[in-house]
Amino acid sequence: MITLTAKLKAPRAAYGIQVHGRLELPFDARCKSLPGEVLRGGDLVTASDGRVLEVVAAAEKLLQIEAPDLARLAWHLGSLHVPVEFGRDCLRIPWAPGADEFARQLGARVSQIEQPFEPEVAEHGHDHAHDHAHDHGHDHQ
C-alpha cells in the first residue's frame, strides 16, 4: 500500500514532471489523503514509493439542486455542514438519505446525477471532516 507524502505546488509543465499513474478518489478521500490538504482533480502528489501521481476526482452520486433562491438554500446546507459545489444555476451536494426531500421542502427541484464532486472548501484549516465534539451553538443530527 502506498502512502501519499506531499502535494506538488508547481504545475506539471513547470519542470517537465513525469507522472507515473493516476489516483482516482472521491471527495471524502481527497480530504483525508494528506493532512491539511484538500486534493482536487488534476493535482499532482508524491507517493511513498517516489512516484508522482495525478489525482482524479471520482464520479459520485450527487444531488443537483435548482431553486429560485439558491442563496437561502446554500445557507441552510451550510448550517448543516453539507459540502456544496456551486454551479452556474444550481448547487450540487453528496447524495444522502433525506437530502432530496429537505431541498424540496425549501422549494427546490432536485435530480440525481453522477459526476466528480469539487465543492467549495474553506482554506482556513477547518476541514469538512472535522470532529464535532466542540460546541458552536447548534446541534448536529
Side-chain angles (χ1 to χ4, degrees):
M1 181 169 132
I2 64 165
T3 303
L4 300 184
T5 57
K7 176 180 164 182
L8 298 181
K9 305 300 183 192
R12 179 183 298 184
Y15 299 102
I17 297 170
Q18 190 77 296
V19 177
H20 296 283
R22 295 164 40 109
L23 186 60
E24 188 170 345
L25 299 169
F27 177 69
D28 190 54
R30 289 183 282 130
C31 289
K32 296 174 182 173
S33 296
L34 279 173
E37 295 279 359
V38 175
L39 301 175
R40 299 293 187 170
D43 284 346
L44 299 179
V45 294
T46 55
S48 55
D49 63 3
R51 293 183 299 155
V52 174
L53 305 171
E54 179 180 9
V55 175
V56 176
E60 303 182 50
K61 284 176 56 174
L62 305 174
L63 296 178
Q64 182 162 295
I65 301 168
E66 300 171 82
D69 191 354
L70 283 177
R72 177 174 173 258
L73 189 57
W75 182 86
H76 281 286
L77 292 168
S79 72
L80 297 172
H81 298 272
V82 174
V84 177
E85 180 179 348
F86 294 86
R88 182 172 174 85
D89 297 316
C90 66
L91 304 174
R92 289 179 208 87
I93 63 172
W95 178 90
D100 54 344
E101 187 57 37
F102 174 78
R104 285 187 185 98
Q105 288 175 355
L106 294 171
R109 291 177 310 283
V110 181
S111 55
Q112 289 188 17
I113 61 172
E114 192 164 317
Q115 71 178 46
F117 185 48
E118 293 281 9
E120 296 295 318
V121 177
E123 296 297 329
H124 52 75
H126 192 83
D127 74 61
H128 96 282
H130 68 280
D131 163 331
H132 283 104
H134 61 279
D135 180 15
H136 54 131
H138 62 270
D139 292 335
H140 295 274
Q141 299 183 14

